[in-house]
Amino acid sequence: MTPQTARRANLAGGAITILTVVCAVIWAFPLYWGIVSSLKPEDEVVRPYIELWPDTLTFEHYVHALTATQIGRWYLNSIVTAVGTTVLTILTSIFCGYALSQLRFPLRRPLYWLILASFMVPTQVLIINHFVLVANMGLLNTWAGIILPQLIHPVIIIIYKQFFDQVPKEFREAAVMDNASEWRILFKVFVPMNWGVTTALSIVVFIWSWNAFLWPFLAATKTEWMTITVGITQVNDAFGIYYARELSLAVLAGLPVALAYLLFQRQVTRAITLSAGIKG
Amino acid sequence: MADIVLDHVSKSFGKVRVIDDLSLTVQSGEFIVFLGPSGSGKSTLLRMIAGLETIDRGRLLIGGRECQTVAPGQRNVAMVFQNYALYPHMTVRENMVFGLRNIGMASDEIRRRVEEAARILEMDQLLDRRPSQLSGGQRQRVAIGRAIVKEPAAFLFDEPLSNLDAALRVRTRVELAELHHRIGTTMIYVTHDQTEAMTMADRIVVLNDCRIEQVGTPMEVYTAPASRFVAGFIGSPAMNFLPVEVINSDGQALATLDDGSTIGLPPDIAGRGRLDLGVRPENVGIVGEGGMTTGKVKVVEHLGDRTIVYVVLGDGTPVTAQTGGHSQVRAGEVVGLTFDVEGARLFGTDGLAQDQAAAI
Ligand SMILES: Nc1ncnc2c1ncn2[C@@H]1O[C@H](COP(=O)(O)OP(=O)(O)OP(=O)(O)O)[C@@H](O)[C@H]1O
Ligand SMILES: [Mg+2]
């Protein structure tokens, strides 16, 4: 590289950096605004101009959220349903992906097409059916009722199938020669060889299901069965909306997901690229 | 240790019949090599023995036990794959014990076998490493170790050396031969490399187009190839095939080349008429004067210990000659050629060696 081209590359790099920073700021601002507002007294929140920092810093809304609402119960519901959804989704998808990829049985291809096709149907379309079904099963206001319809994630199955397809066939053959049962081939060879995928997918399924709103909102009609995302909507009372209070709850609701993002950044990015690769 | 018998086996992939009515007996303790070009059915045959491909018809006997419908893991054979297929998430030791755990073997027996295998293959210090921390040669060794711990009746190798560099391949070849010598277990080894076949095999099974062309010791297939295919496939540079007319004259067999010159053949050689005379390059001599025929030198290759000379006869027939390392022959020269016909073979238009054809 001549000094001149080097300088030009530097300039371009600098411009891109500035652009990304600007985008990041625009993206992050609402988040910042939300957090800052949740730390302001209610009357300060509704002032008609922008104040980037509270005049009086207060934690009263958090105290209120933690003491005067059922937030503990909502957290528990969220944790149980999100973990349950994640574990069951991953497990069933592993089985299904393995069967589609490695086993030979009648109607395997039609089954795969069916799964691919179901991928085109948005869950919202089915939500009335789900509701009637779950209601008839008597599962409204239960953890199982919140979990069951959330287990439908064809994309996870397809990702597993693709990863299992990529395992060279000699590994399966070696395991067959090694007298391994189908279970052991799956759990001792195929799953461990694809740990990265499982971690990444677990994290995204967890985040999806933690953030789920529409279904838990329908399935939990009683306050004590609500997940935290639904619970937030319950803090307005007869006198109108308390913005700061709601925001403090929203921050509390988002905290675990934000933590998950921070802790597992790499896997999350990977998982999102994985599912985007399929969706795109 | 066990003998392996393929008894009139057939195999189709979909509608395509690949192996058709093939029979072969591998003696107990034998090192047998399946040799043939790409697509000749070597792997398919090996995988049928392993159980990784089904046998459509016929019987497979391993140590006298009928095995064609037995599950692969139950056939008491161990396979070493070309890419080794070592489980990447397991250590070397875990790789070796995986198969033993699966059959519920007692843990002291497992330990004994792993120690024994590690000793035989001199790889104690590798046991706790992952495959990714091993060199190609070490991985190869572990793959063999994983087979050894099973103490199988037979080892099956599918081109196990083809991922190694040339020097390592030669060394591992020697080690494998030595291993066979030491443990004496039946081994079936698939390769398309004739040097590997010639150096390691007790017997070579030459395959072409999914059929057995010849079964014999390395010397047999080299000196008495049963067909033109075997003659051309084994030996480097390849055997010369000269179109000749063979006649009897005064109790002598005489072969007339297309350029009109004649070569006297051994009197007892089988076959008369229009045939191909097979002569190995090392049996073609280059002389200044008084050769049996003459030809023009096209290319000379000096390999140090020997020289390969490519000659074209008057009628256009190509002949390859191999002479000593200090040959002074130059391209463009016209030289005389002599043929040492002591080991020469005659092949008919059907590709069969004439003594074979006569025997049938
Ligand atoms: N799974 C399969 N489906 C269809 N045809 C196959 C299959 N496996 C092998 N064949 C065919 O069987 C024949 C023999 O193949 P095989 O793999 O045994 O050859 P090979 O001698 O091992 O060749 P190479 O040296 O390239 O490994 C080939 O014509 C091949 O196309
Ligand atoms: Mg092959």
Side-chain angles (χ1 to χ4, degrees), chain A residues 163 194 196-197 200 265-275:
Chain A
F163 270 84
N194 290 288
V197 190
Q265 256 177 38
R266 265 220 340 256
Q267 287 89 331
V268 175
T269 328
R270 180 172 146 81
I272 289 169
T273 4
L274 281 182
S275 47

Side-chain angles (χ1 to χ4, degrees), chain A residues 169, chain B residues 11-14 16-19 34-47 53 82 158-159 190-192 207 209-210:
Chain A
K169 73 175 183 5
Chain B
K11 166 83 198 163
S12 305
F13 286 113
V16 189
R17 172 71 54 90
V18 179
I19 305 279
F34 292 173
L35 177 66
S38 187
S40 58
K42 312 179 291 287
S43 298
T44 305
L45 211 52
L46 192 76
R47 292 163 58 83
E53 302 288 358
Q82 178 174 357
D158 195 349
E159 312 214 13
V190 162
T191 183
H192 59 254
L207 288 163
D209 208 7
C210 300

Side-chain angles (χ1 to χ4, degrees), chain A residues 120-137:
Chain A
M120 323 269 164
V121 183
T123 21
Q124 286 85 337
V125 171
L126 301 169
I127 211 131
I128 309 281
N129 288 330
H130 287 166
F131 185 79
V132 174
L133 201 64
V134 169
N136 286 341
M137 289 161 82

Side-chain angles (χ1 to χ4, degrees), chain A residues 10-27:
Chain A
N10 257 341
L11 266 176
I16 289 171
T17 311
I18 291 171
L19 195 70
T20 351
V21 169
V22 169
C23 285
V25 168
I26 293 174
W27 258 93

Side-chain angles (χ1 to χ4, degrees), chain B residues 69-84:
Chain B
T69 55
V70 173
Q74 310 283 324
R75 293 190 185 191
N76 202 13
V77 295
M79 182 142 168
V80 175
F81 293 87
Q82 178 174 357
N83 64 2
Y84 317 140

Side-chain angles (χ1 to χ4, degrees), chain B residues 307-345:
Chain B
T307 307
I308 317 282
V309 186
Y310 299 91
V311 184
V312 175
L313 301 188
D315 63 310
T317 311
V319 174
T320 312
Q322 179 177 313
T323 63
H326 300 288
S327 173
Q328 300 296 319
V329 182
R330 273 169 219 291
E333 247 179 281
V334 173
V335 292
L337 295 172
T338 59
F339 299 97
D340 174 4
V341 292
E342 211 42 58
R345 314 266 301 161

